[in-house]
């Protein structure tokens, strides 16, 4: 069976944090990318719309007024529409060549053999940073996985996990603010188009 590879346009169904991380990943990947010399829409315009969405998302999380939520949702619609147009440009330019599509940072349709959620993450480590109340999270990446989720809890209340947070980086994710002198538990899992893998074994650290 011949598989036609393409950049996926699933931005409308993404949660806010996932949308932000995915757009940021694409902007980094397409910046100065020789495969995509004339992006349409322009990357600068995408960045402007992302910045606007981030500002309005922050306002929702700070105040949560109905007007803030409405403004955030309106900004999100504009950003999602722009990313749909950019995915069309990427697909037109890449012409189904998988290596070119992957270089864009866009998620792509899976090969027929990729039908399962990711396996359990290994190698979770926590490191001090140069600031009190922060830790750096590291773990082993998995092939073809772009999004990872992590959560944490105080060791004195191990069932009271934080909200899930997303990252695309396995080495430089910094978590703050945390309470100094408290031992925390951290878990990580990988996410693909078929779902989330199992949470990793807990890693622990006493926050400096």
């Amino acid at each position: 069976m011949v598989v036609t590879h393409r950049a996926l346009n699933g931005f409308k169904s993404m949660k806010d944090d996932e949308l932000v991380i995915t757009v940021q990943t694409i902007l980094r990947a397409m910046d100065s990318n020789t495969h995509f010399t004339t992006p349409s829409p322009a990357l600068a315009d995408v960045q402007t719309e992302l910045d606007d969405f981030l500002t309005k998302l922050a306002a929702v999380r700070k105040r949560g007024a109905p007007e803030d939520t409405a403004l955030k949702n309106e900004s999100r619609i504009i950003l999602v529409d722009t990313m749909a147009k950019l995915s069309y440009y990427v697909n037109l330019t890449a012409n189904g060549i998988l290596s070119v599509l992957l270089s864009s940072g866009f998620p792509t349709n899976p090969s027929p053999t990729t039908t399962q959620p990711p396996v359990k993450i290994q190698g979770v480590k926590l490191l001090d940073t140069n600031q009190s109340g922060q830790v750096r999270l590291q773990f082993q990446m998995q092939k073809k996985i772009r999004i990872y989720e992590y959560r944490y809890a105080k060791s004195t209340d191990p069932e009271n996990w934080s909200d899930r947070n997303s990252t695309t980086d396995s080495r430089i994710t910094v978590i703050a603010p945390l309470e100094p002198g408290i031992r925390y538990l951290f878990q990580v899992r990988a996410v693909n188009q078929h779902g989330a893998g199992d949470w990793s074994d807990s890693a622990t650290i006493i926050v400096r």
Side-chain angles (χ1 to χ4, degrees):
M1 178 174 127
V2 177
V3 178
T4 301
H5 295 286
R6 58 188 175 84
L8 297 180
N9 175 23
F11 302 98
K12 187 179 293 186
S13 63
M14 292 180 181
K15 296 180 179 179
D16 288 342
D17 287 335
E18 183 184 4
L19 174 63
V20 168
I21 290 172
T22 303
V23 174
Q24 289 173 335
T25 299
I26 291 167
L27 285 171
R28 287 195 297 267
M30 292 188 66
D31 184 35
S32 302
N33 188 323
T34 56
H35 294 300
F36 305 104
T37 56
T38 57
S40 178
L43 298 185
D45 294 338
V46 178
Q47 184 66 62
T48 297
E49 291 178 7
L50 175 61
D51 291 342
D52 181 73
F53 178 65
L54 284 168
T55 298
K56 289 170 180 173
L57 180 61
V60 168
R61 289 176 171 171
K62 183 177 181 181
R63 296 176 301 203
E67 180 184 0
D68 294 327
T69 300
L71 289 170
K72 184 267 292 185
N73 290 339
E74 291 164 5
S75 178
R76 177 189 167 100
I77 289 170
I78 293 171
L79 178 60
V80 166
D81 181 65
T82 295
M83 294 307 297
K85 294 173 182 175
L86 188 60
S87 71
Y88 177 80
Y89 163 79
V90 166
N91 282 320
L92 190 66
T93 304
N95 196 29
I97 301 173
L98 181 58
S99 60
V100 177
L101 286 170
L102 291 174
S103 78
S104 73
F106 271 84
T108 63
N109 58 316
S111 64
T113 57
T114 305
T115 59
Q116 300 296 324
V119 298
K120 187 175 179 179
I121 292 288
Q122 303 294 326
V124 180
K125 295 192 299 184
L126 300 164
L127 304 171
D128 280 330
T129 70
N130 59 3
Q131 293 190 35
S132 177
Q134 293 185 351
V135 297
R136 187 167 75 245
L137 174 66
Q138 294 186 354
F139 52 90
Q140 293 179 9
M141 294 190 72
Q142 295 181 8
K143 292 182 178 179
K144 299 182 180 179
I145 299 295
R146 297 184 181 277
I147 301 293
Y148 300 87
E149 294 182 338
Y150 64 89
R151 63 183 184 179
Y152 54 88
K154 295 180 180 180
S155 62
T156 54
D157 191 10
E159 300 303 319
N160 186 20
W161 292 104
S162 68
D163 292 338
R164 295 192 303 272
N165 298 274
S166 299
T167 182
T168 60
D169 199 304
S170 68
R171 298 195 61 80
I172 60 172
T173 299
V174 175
I175 298 99
L178 300 173
E179 192 173 339
I182 298 297
R183 181 179 293 277
Y184 283 82
L185 312 173
F186 280 80
Q187 292 182 342
V188 185
R189 67 181 180 182
V191 181
N192 67 11
Q193 64 270 25
H194 300 290
D198 292 334
W199 287 106
S200 69
D201 295 336
S202 294
T204 71
I205 191 172
I206 297 176
V207 177
R208 181 172 63 81

